[in-house]
Structure formats: C-alpha cells, structure tokens
Amino acid sequence: MVGGHYTYAEVPLFDGLFGAERNNYDKVGHFFQGFVPALIAREILIRLQVVNGAAWRNLFIVSVCLAFSAFYELLEWWVAAATGEDAEAFLGTQGYAWDTQSDMWFALIGAITALICLSRRHDKQLQRIAKTTPS
C-alpha cells in the first residue's frame, strides 16, 4: 500500500538508502514477487505430486517464479509502449538501464530465499495435515 500511495520512485523511506542514487523500493516488491509465488507453486506441486524429487521440484519452482517475473516485466513494457510519454513514470526505472534485469534478479533471490527458509517448515505442516486427514 505504501508504493501505491507514493509511487515506487517516491517512497520516502528508500530515498538515498545506503547511498543509492535511485529509490529502490520497487526491489522489495520484486523480492516478494519471487517469494510468494514460490510458496504457492511449492504447495501445488507437492499436493498434486507433479514433480518427483526435491531438486527437480525446486528448479521448477524457481523457473515458475522467473516466468511470472518475466511476464510482469513484459506487461510493464506493453503498458509503457501503449501510454507513450508517461512510460518512464509508470516503469519507475529512474534512468537505470538494467532495471528489468535487476527486478528479475530480486525475484530470483526471493524465490530461493523462500525455498531455503520455509521448505522444512512447510514439509512438517504437510505431514501434520496428512496425519489428520482421513484417506
């Protein structure tokens, strides 16, 4: 809600944070753009038993998150192309040529962080559910 109130480029908390020339608030959003879909994809893949093996499942989860992030970046580009002159304000690149790539990098970091930090806990919760659910 903070980003919606100020726009990404103008969130006061992130102005000049750590000496950055641009406001990096949008990177927080892109981190969670990888983090949250990773949890959802993991839940679906485990419950539906789509992929066997944790390594393949994790690769698939990260790939899904990056595909989602890439689609979002394409959507931003399409809207920017359609709006013309207001594209810079909508994109929030703030003159940073590698904004799209860094956005996807933060989504990748978010997806991997979710898998590393929450996989064991998620597995325990799924085991607990399996024990209480009648077959």
Side-chain angles (χ1 to χ4, degrees), residues 43-94:
E43 179 84 17
I44 291 169
L45 293 175
I46 290 173
R47 286 187 181 241
L48 297 179
Q49 299 176 347
V50 176
V51 181
N52 293 326
W56 284 109
R57 182 176 57 236
N58 289 341
L59 177 67
F60 193 77
I61 291 167
V62 169
S63 297
V64 165
C65 293
L66 286 175
F68 179 75
S69 181
F71 178 74
Y72 181 80
E73 294 301 325
L74 286 171
L75 191 66
E76 276 188 342
W77 172 59
W78 292 330
V79 170
T83 59
E85 294 178 15
D86 296 330
E88 181 68 27
F90 173 75
L91 291 174
T93 60
Q94 302 172 65

Side-chain angles (χ1 to χ4, degrees), residues 100-113:
T100 299
Q101 293 80 359
S102 67
D103 289 349
M104 291 188 64
W105 173 250
F106 275 86
L108 173 66
I109 292 170
I112 292 171
T113 301

